[in-house]
Amino acid sequence: MVAVTKKQLSNKGIYIDTVDHLMKTSKVVFEPPIRLTNTIIHSTGVIGCYTNLRGGVIRNVKSIGRFCNFAPGFTIGMGEHPLDYLSTHDFQYSETFGFGSWEEAKNFNTTVPKIESKPNPMIGNDVWLGANVTILKGVTIGDGAVIAAGAVVNKDVEPYAIVGGLPAKLIRYRFDKEIREKLLELKWWNYTLESLEGIQFNDIETAIAQLEERKEKGLLIERKKPRIKLINREIVKRQINTDDLSTDSEPAEKERVENNS
């Protein structure tokens, strides 16, 4: 198999600086279009359409929703280290701990069990991360949330909450409770851009009323674009529907790509 090229990804609506930012062990499901500027992806995850990642590191993530904007400097799902062991270093419980080729490390054995890791972060739709935000493992960020620049998020963030600080704490909500509930029921991000055309976006109450009217009349068309799955920088041949969020199984056959593409 031949690794995918930047041009091939661009043709499929995945805009990336270089495929080198997809680590060789990464397994990612994209829902185009997506823009990844100077963003390094290490592990498994699902990234939704019209999401714009403008520079950072995704170490571990379960999912990032649609219509998200991440400012430069973010880090998501970095590894954890024990505070009550002899050392915080992973040599105590990891077989290779990044030095497997060094003879002393190769012959080192330990009976200490690996620390139990927290679940990978989940980030909802319409989420805005300010510059230099850190999202720790075990965190779920709700739809419509805003994370202020420089925040370190170590616990769940409610939908449409604005949080900031170290650690991040609630500043306020974007909208009152009634509006938040209506938005979470409407889930506007599930519909095509054509369905949203003409909505008065700058007036939240009018926008909700227009969405509710279109929904009642059956004018909101659900987005059902195929997803693109990359394993080890190769595109999986089988296309993935929007309802297929699983990244656990690996189809045996992968798409052949041409060197001159």
Side-chain angles (χ1 to χ4, degrees):
M1 296 293 176
V2 181
V4 71
T5 66
K6 176 181 175 180
K7 180 179 179 181
Q8 288 165 337
L9 290 177
S10 178
N11 290 339
K12 293 179 179 294
I14 302 168
Y15 307 109
I16 189 170
D17 295 323
T18 170
V19 294
D20 290 339
H21 286 166
L22 300 173
M23 298 295 100
K24 291 183 179 179
T25 57
S26 64
K27 181 167 55 175
V28 191
V29 179
F30 293 111
E31 182 191 21
I34 293 170
R35 187 173 299 279
L36 302 100
T37 305
N38 196 29
T39 297
I40 298 173
I41 298 179
H42 284 266
S43 67
T44 302
V46 180
I47 303 179
C49 66
Y50 292 104
T51 283
N52 188 10
L53 310 180
R54 297 196 291 121
V57 178
I58 301 175
R59 186 74 188 185
N60 297 283
V61 72
K62 184 173 182 181
S63 60
I64 298 173
R66 296 167 171 170
F67 296 92
C68 292
N69 277 295
F70 293 4
F74 65 84
T75 58
I76 300 174
M78 301 301 283
E80 301 165 300
H81 298 267
L83 300 180
D84 54 354
Y85 283 24
L86 173 67
S87 170
T88 59
H89 198 284
D90 52 353
F91 87 93
Q92 303 164 109
Y93 50 83
S94 175
E95 292 183 0
T96 60
F97 54 92
F99 294 91
S101 61
W102 190 253
E103 195 67 23
E104 181 188 22
K106 186 187 302 183
N107 296 327
F108 178 76
N109 294 309
T110 179
T111 58
V112 176
K114 185 176 182 180
I115 61 173
E116 185 175 348
S117 182
K118 295 178 182 178
N120 291 341
M122 295 178 61
I123 300 174
N125 305 278
D126 185 31
V127 172
W128 174 22
L129 265 58
N132 303 314
V133 164
T134 299
I135 309 295
L136 301 183
K137 296 189 73 175
V139 167
T140 296
I141 297 179
D143 297 320
V146 175
I147 315 299
V152 175
V153 183
N154 64 352
K155 61 182 179 180
D156 292 353
V157 177
E158 293 183 78
Y160 291 97
I162 302 174
V163 303
L166 198 169
K169 296 181 180 180
L170 178 66
I171 298 173
R172 65 178 178 87
Y173 292 98
R174 289 176 57 190
F175 308 111
D176 63 35
K177 183 177 180 180
E178 182 179 359
I179 288 178
R180 297 199 305 270
E181 289 175 347
K182 288 182 178 180
L183 288 170
L184 292 173
E185 182 180 356
L186 284 166
K187 300 183 186 299
W188 61 263
W189 46 81
N190 284 341
Y191 302 112
T192 63
L193 289 183
E194 291 84 357
S195 298
L196 303 176
E197 190 171 355
I199 295 292
Q200 193 168 336
F201 302 119
N202 60 342
D203 184 329
I204 189 63
E205 293 182 352
T206 300
I208 288 174
Q210 291 172 331
L211 286 166
E212 289 175 335
E213 181 181 6
R214 293 186 186 189
K215 184 176 182 179
E216 185 177 348
K217 293 181 179 180
L219 299 177
L220 295 179
I221 309 301
E222 288 195 16
R223 176 178 298 278
K224 292 186 177 180
K225 298 289 186 181
R227 297 190 175 205
I228 297 171
K229 186 172 184 178
L230 271 70
I231 300 175
N232 302 331
R233 299 180 184 170
E234 297 172 8
I235 299 179
V236 174
K237 185 174 183 180
R238 180 179 64 87
Q239 289 192 330
I240 301 172
N241 295 322
T242 52
D243 293 333
D244 184 4
L245 300 181
S246 174
T247 57
D248 295 331
S249 60
E250 297 185 19
E253 189 174 9
K254 298 178 183 177
E255 179 178 352
R256 293 187 178 276
V257 293
E258 300 297 332
N259 288 320
N260 58 358
S261 296

